[in-house]
Amino acid sequence: MMMRRSLTATLMTSSMLAALPMIAPALAHGQTRQPVSTGQDDNGIEVIVTATKRATKLQDTPISIEVLSTKKLDDLNVASFNDYVALLPSVSFQNTPYQGSNVYFRGVASGGDGNHSGPQPSVGIYLDEEPVTTIGGPLDVHIYDMARIESLAGPQGTLYGASSEAGTIRLITNKPDTGGYYGRIDLDGNTVDHGGMGGKLEGMINIPFSDKVALRVVGWEQHNAGFIDNIAGTRSFLPAGSGITVDNAPYVKNNYNTSEIEGGRAALKVDLDDNWTVMGSVIGQATHSKGSAGYDPNVGDLKVQHFLPEYNHDRFIQAALTVQGKIGNFDLTYAGAAMKRTIDSAADYTDYAEAYDRMYESVGGNAGYFYFWNAAGDTIAPLQEIIGHDVFTKTSHELRLASPSTDRLRFVAGVFYQRQTHDILQNYEVAGLDPNLSVEGWPGTLWLTKQMRIDRDKAVFGEVSFDFTPTVTLTAGLRAFEYDNTLIGFFGFGSNDMFRAGHNFPPNATYGSSGERRCLTTDTYGVVNPKDPTGTLLPGLPGTPCTDLGVQNADGSISPKEAKDNGFTHKLNLSWKATPDAMLYATWSKGFRPGGINRRSTIAPYAPDYLTNYELGYKLTLLNKTLRINGAVYDQKWDAFQFAFLGANSFTEVHNGPSADIKGLESDLTWAPDHHLTIAASGSYTDASLTKNLCTFDGDSDPNCAGIVNTYETQYPGGVATLITTPNQDFIAAPKGARLPVTPKVKLSASARYSWEMGDIKPYWQVLANYQSKATSDLRTHILETFTGADLNPAALSGGMKAYTTINFAFGAEWNDKWTAEVYIDNLTDERAQLSRYQECGMCFQRSYIVTNTPRTFGVRLGGKF
């Protein structure tokens, strides 16, 4: 309820912005209107960044940084995560509704990391001074009234910590300004080919209360048109002649995948005196998405056949406090934040039933084998719907001290603490299921996952820089870290599961490698992986029948399973300012990602993984400071990387795989020869591959994969029967030299904007083109299919992501330095960009879904400043 009230308040703020021009004179009190800060000087080349936790010029900062300024974000209508990632050459992403969203730098991607029981992200996302990367992936913060976006490629572990193993993205907002009252309003309306109509309303107001206190409020509301159709279809299930055929008539709908985004943020800045400033801020956003995130090419372009409701409601609220001041000549900064994120979701799992119906064909299909019955004993359709309720919290605190930036020997040092929680609820519902076949306390629930995950990390960090000469600087950094991650709860079937009736088991018999069969009781102390336990079930988390994921103590209490460790990461950087307009640098740096717990009790915890980066870079300013060219070449070693995948029966497993070698180069340029023309381009080449074989199930990186045993078991009267066993068989999931997934080898982006004067009117045109080469969607080339033992190729069955090129064009005008009007065409050629591919389950290769960009879109934008 509190979350709803907070978001309602932000929406009321957004709606009120439309009236601001009428009340502007009353609020201005004669103060001078100030422009929104762009972070650039007049020629559009020089940019100020804070990537090193100091304010420095981009061309003097020896890090590979791509910067999107306020002006570029506005010109290119960047509003979302997808929009700005397309402009960053070293960044790729994966969006799968069943495993969350992931962002990757420089090819550091194994795929599948976003599952609720998977590893932490390898890329950190910051909003101003505070991290906003949750366990389940990054927040898609709406982009409006941003000072800039900084994309820091390569390990940033020294200054930014655990979730910045491969890189960091920093969203820097425009701050409250005591210099004057001003604001802006922007309106967008559009229509999508093959889809519906969309639009957005955005606004900002800056109000100075005095020369020391100012408030800045931003609001937005956006409707994204749907363009995927859920078309009519049926599915029939075994056993033959049972009449188990379902249709999706209640859910047939055109433009199925609409979304609504609404939110706002406010910041209050108080200058206590000339040296100390306090700023408090709050941001809230709600995204309500309906339908499917991808389309099924088996049934047509931009079409799916789904049989149960689908939605995703993702909302978050964050409060942050930043205090900056001086102690003598030293700068002191405290940054703290508290965030809550809640995701309610429903996902159609019909493809799972379809796949397992085929696998169990010899025993009567999915319904026949698993005995999907109602209370009357009649066979029902084996359709499942996943109802999710995930609650994330995150608190972070950082205190750091920086010596004067003009000193020959200078440093930044600090301490950091972070605590994240994930309250996990995944409810696999079957309509009409007999309560006696359901998880106890959850009628109609075939399978329940209810767990609590807590990830904690703390660190001491510092960087020291020394100028050997006015042009040669050595920087050394070190971060000492400690993490402590825990997981506890229940997952699996209930006590009276569907197998009992089918095999005439005695009362209270149970089945499976999870659920009550593995729960802890008064008689299981000291037993590893209990099976068919006796004694009294020990209580678990509220709402669960018992605990099958935890550690039993001698006194009968249960503690979470725990993964903890400590270590160091480092950075060594040497830079040479060859001329005032040319700099070369070399970097040796290391990043890490914490280890964690596998929810399947038979699988060991996974260890941290590390990324070591060797990099040479350059920064050039040419042609009388009108041309900026920056770039880097690198070689990265990703050691024992964490590999998450859906294993047997689509059960998440995380193992430490082998190592990977990632080589590449990246470059970007901006050319502004005069105030009429601006050209920008960026590109990257990434070659990422395994240095050893990836072996299945036990994480063994031995090239021969000897000794792996793949066993699937089921319970029959009288004992356990092994259906598939492959002992001492070399089983290579991906061979040495296999290419890492998701990231294309080549990614390019280019834009041009030209404006001219016609009296008070300044017409302009602009064009943006993005290119991405093909990429694979799965690392594995071999897996064994459950129960049949068939050797499958997931990379081939999932399908590769094809190369694509998209072009956006706009024509508009500005006049009186206040008003803007623009017509635009996004995705001019109506290209189907394959942003990612996914399946509903680990064996659902019969249907591979494509997450695509929005089809060709025609729109009009209007904007005003006051």
Side-chain angles (χ1 to χ4, degrees):
M1 183 65 68
M2 183 178 296
M3 172 73 75
R4 181 176 298 175
R5 287 197 297 265
S6 299
L7 291 176
T8 299
T10 62
L11 292 179
M12 292 175 62
T13 300
S14 178
S15 300
M16 290 171 60
L17 289 171
L20 289 177
M22 294 182 290
I23 64 174
L27 293 174
H29 294 298
Q31 298 182 60
T32 303
R33 182 175 70 247
Q34 299 293 319
V36 176
S37 171
T38 65
Q40 296 180 312
D41 65 17
D42 291 340
N43 65 15
I45 291 295
E46 190 57 77
V47 181
I48 302 299
V49 297
T50 52
T52 59
K53 305 211 171 183
R54 296 179 184 271
T56 59
K57 293 181 179 180
L58 174 63
Q59 296 306 90
D60 294 337
T61 308
I63 301 176
S64 180
I65 311 175
E66 177 91 2
V67 178
L68 305 177
S69 67
T70 299
K71 187 175 188 307
K72 188 166 187 177
L73 294 170
D74 287 346
D75 289 349
L76 299 180
N77 192 35
V78 172
S80 68
F81 176 79
N82 288 8
D83 293 337
Y84 67 76
V85 166
L87 304 173
L88 302 175
S90 298
V91 181
S92 57
F93 75 99
Q94 188 177 29
N95 183 358
T96 55
Y98 303 99
Q99 298 185 41
S101 298
N102 293 282
V103 58
Y104 307 106
F105 267 89
R106 291 179 170 177
V108 182
S110 60
D113 294 340
N115 190 279
H116 63 266
S117 11
Q120 287 191 22
S122 63
V123 171
I125 309 292
Y126 274 68
L127 180 63
D128 292 320
E129 292 284 346
E130 292 80 20
V132 291
T133 314
T134 62
I135 296 171
L139 298 181
D140 190 357
V141 178
H142 186 82
I143 305 301
Y144 184 74
D145 193 43
M146 289 282 175
R148 64 191 178 279
I149 295 177
E150 297 178 5
S151 172
L152 285 59
Q156 305 297 324
T158 302
L159 293 179
Y160 295 98
S163 288
S164 292
E165 178 185 38
T168 302
I169 294 176
R170 306 182 67 233
L171 311 177
I172 312 298
T173 62
N174 283 315
K175 304 302 186 291
D177 180 5
T178 58
Y181 167 87
Y182 55 91
R184 59 182 291 198
I185 299 174
D186 292 277
L187 179 66
D188 183 312
N190 58 71
T191 179
V192 177
D193 278 11
H194 323 287
M197 299 186 67
K200 63 184 175 183
L201 173 65
E202 303 163 306
M204 175 277 295
I205 183 172
N206 184 87
I207 305 173
F209 296 109
S210 70
D211 60 353
K212 293 184 179 299
V213 181
L215 173 70
R216 197 179 191 100
V217 180
V218 184
W220 57 87
E221 186 166 6
Q222 180 172 343
H223 170 72
N224 293 324
F227 51 85
I228 294 176
D229 300 335
N230 191 21
I231 65 173
T234 61
R235 298 281 188 274
S236 296
F237 298 95
L238 294 169
S242 67
I244 304 179
T245 297
V246 297
D247 67 63
N248 63 347
Y251 309 109
V252 171
K253 185 179 180 180
N254 290 336
N255 307 328
Y256 187 51
N257 61 323
T258 59
S259 66
E260 310 284 341
I261 304 170
E262 49 201 22
R265 70 175 187 267
L268 179 67
K269 177 184 174 184
V270 180
D271 294 328
L272 301 178
D273 56 30
D274 292 340
N275 292 323
W276 288 88
T277 297
V278 176
M279 189 174 73
S281 64
V282 63
I283 179 173
Q285 180 175 297
T287 301
H288 303 269
S289 302
K290 299 178 182 178
S292 175
Y295 71 92
D296 179 2
N298 291 318
V299 297
D301 179 41
L302 301 178
K303 301 185 186 305
V304 294
Q305 279 183 349
H306 283 184
F307 294 78
L308 293 168
E310 297 176 287
Y311 59 81
N312 188 284
H313 297 167
D314 185 352
R315 60 265 191 208
F316 69 87
I317 186 166
Q318 184 208 51
L321 176 67
T322 303
V323 180
Q324 295 176 308
K326 285 187 174 294
I327 299 178
N329 290 328
F330 294 88
D331 294 321
L332 182 71
T333 301
Y334 165 78
M339 178 174 65
K340 182 178 181 181
R341 180 186 189 186
T342 303
I343 303 176
D344 288 301
S345 60
D348 181 5
Y349 220 36
T350 299
D351 290 1
Y352 181 96
E354 183 182 43
Y356 279 76
D357 201 51
R358 173 180 54 81
M359 280 189 279
Y360 303 140
E361 183 175 2
S362 62
V363 289
N366 198 16
Y369 183 72
F370 279 97
Y371 295 90
F372 285 84
W373 287 349
N374 60 21
D378 300 322
T379 302
I380 60 176
L383 302 186
Q384 299 178 42
E385 182 175 25
I386 307 175
I387 305 298
H389 179 71
D390 295 276
V391 181
F392 304 86
T393 68
K394 185 185 186 83
T395 57
S396 63
H397 304 275
E398 179 173 303
L399 181 67
R400 67 177 185 269
L401 191 67
S403 63
S405 59
T406 55
D407 288 355
R408 185 179 182 187
L409 177 66
R410 54 197 177 274
F411 70 87
V412 175
V415 293
F416 176 83
Y417 174 78
Q418 177 176 258
R419 184 179 188 270
Q420 304 182 79
T421 70
H422 183 187
D423 186 353
I424 306 165
L425 174 61
Q426 298 286 309
N427 179 6
Y428 292 66
E429 293 188 352
V430 177
L433 185 67
D434 185 351
N436 290 324
L437 303 179
S438 306
V439 174
E440 291 185 21
W442 296 79
T445 294
L446 173 68
W447 173 288
L448 178 70
T449 298
K450 186 167 176 56
Q451 300 165 348
M452 173 58 74
R453 174 174 174 173
I454 303 177
D455 289 17
R456 313 165 186 85
D457 61 272
K458 53 188 177 182
V460 177
F461 65 90
E463 286 192 356
V464 178
S465 297
F466 178 71
D467 297 331
F468 286 102
T469 72
T471 61
V472 177
T473 301
L474 178 68
T475 299
L478 190 69
R479 189 181 190 98
F481 65 85
E482 179 179 294
Y483 69 84
D484 184 359
N485 300 335
T486 60
L487 186 64
I488 189 173
F490 175 86
F491 66 103
F493 301 109
S495 60
N496 293 313
D497 72 293
M498 50 222 162
F499 283 83
R500 195 193 81 185
H503 294 298
N504 298 315
F505 282 9
N508 297 320
T510 55
Y511 168 80
S513 60
S514 56
E516 288 193 42
R517 188 183 185 194
R518 305 285 185 172
C519 273
L520 301 174
T521 75
T522 53
D523 295 336
T524 55
Y525 176 67
V527 178
V528 178
N529 188 28
K531 184 184 294 185
D532 297 332
T534 59
T536 304
L537 292 171
L538 297 175
L541 294 176
T544 63
C546 52
T547 300
D548 58 351
L549 179 63
V551 178
Q552 186 172 351
N553 302 314
D555 62 0
S557 63
I558 301 176
S559 300
K561 296 192 73 172
E562 184 177 34
K564 61 187 301 182
D565 200 356
N566 57 71
F568 298 88
T569 59
H570 67 262
K571 172 184 174 182
L572 195 63
N573 176 279
L574 182 66
S575 64
W576 174 39
K577 195 76 171 178
T579 73
D581 295 324
M583 183 175 72
L584 302 176
Y585 69 86
T587 300
W588 173 39
S589 57
K590 190 173 186 178
F592 84 103
R593 181 166 48 162
I597 303 298
N598 270 295
R599 61 173 175 158
R600 182 171 251 165
S601 58
T602 55
I603 301 175
Y606 52 93
D609 59 11
Y610 294 87
L611 181 73
T612 303
N613 173 56
Y614 305 91
E615 178 179 330
L616 295 174
Y618 59 89
K619 294 178 182 286
L620 307 174
T621 305
L622 307 171
L623 303 181
N624 195 28
K625 299 187 181 299
T626 63
L627 175 64
R628 182 186 71 218
I629 304 177
N630 297 338
V633 295
Y634 58 85
D635 187 358
Q636 299 185 139
K637 310 297 182 184
W638 194 15
D639 297 322
F641 63 80
Q642 295 169 9
F643 179 61
F645 62 97
L646 296 177
N649 298 99
S650 296
F651 211 116
T652 303
E653 301 180 20
V654 186
H655 299 276
N656 288 93
S659 297
D661 187 21
I662 307 169
K663 296 181 174 68
L665 57 89
E666 59 209 11
S667 186
D668 68 273
L669 69 84
T670 300
W671 182 42
D674 52 42
H675 66 281
H676 295 294
L677 177 65
T678 301
I679 295 176
S682 61
S684 67
Y685 174 83
T686 307
D687 184 8
S689 60
L690 298 178
T691 58
K692 292 184 178 179
N693 296 332
L694 171 68
C695 301
T696 301
F697 300 117
D698 68 350
D700 186 1
S701 60
D702 181 84
N704 296 317
C705 302
I708 292 179
V709 179
N710 303 320
T711 302
Y712 308 94
E713 63 182 23
T714 188
Q715 182 84 42
Y716 285 97
V720 174
T722 299
L723 298 184
I724 296 294
T725 304
T726 57
N728 300 317
Q729 174 181 333
D730 292 350
F731 192 81
I732 299 173
K736 175 182 177 180
R739 181 177 161 191
L740 297 186
V742 182
T743 303
K745 280 193 172 182
V746 177
K747 185 177 179 183
L748 304 172
S749 177
S751 64
R753 182 182 177 96
Y754 185 80
S755 64
W756 63 99
E757 290 83 21
M758 296 176 58
D760 292 335
I761 301 176
K762 297 179 180 179
Y764 65 86
W765 59 261
Q766 68 179 23
V767 61
L768 168 67
N770 292 313
Y771 168 79
Q772 182 171 305
S773 65
K774 65 181 181 179
T776 60
S777 58
D778 199 307
L779 175 58
R780 298 166 298 164
T781 56
H782 296 283
I783 63 170
L784 291 184
E785 185 181 70
T786 308
F787 292 101
T788 68
D791 188 352
L792 304 178
N793 184 333
L797 292 171
S798 300
M801 296 179 287
K802 298 180 180 179
Y804 65 84
T805 301
T806 60
I807 301 172
N808 299 344
F809 179 79
F811 176 80
E814 301 175 355
W815 63 95
N816 294 330
D817 294 325
K818 293 178 58 176
W819 305 104
T820 303
E822 179 181 281
V823 294
Y824 65 90
I825 305 176
D826 287 346
N827 193 8
L828 181 65
T829 59
D830 200 25
E831 181 85 354
R832 295 288 177 273
Q834 297 189 10
L835 304 178
S836 60
R837 298 181 73 117
Y838 68 91
Q839 295 80 37
E840 285 187 1
C841 70
M843 293 295 173
C844 296
F845 295 113
Q846 80 277 15
R847 297 185 185 277
S848 180
Y849 294 86
I850 298 172
V851 178
T852 189
N853 59 332
T854 304
R856 180 168 46 230
T857 301
F858 297 85
V860 176
R861 299 188 189 105
L862 300 174
K865 298 178 182 179
F866 55 90

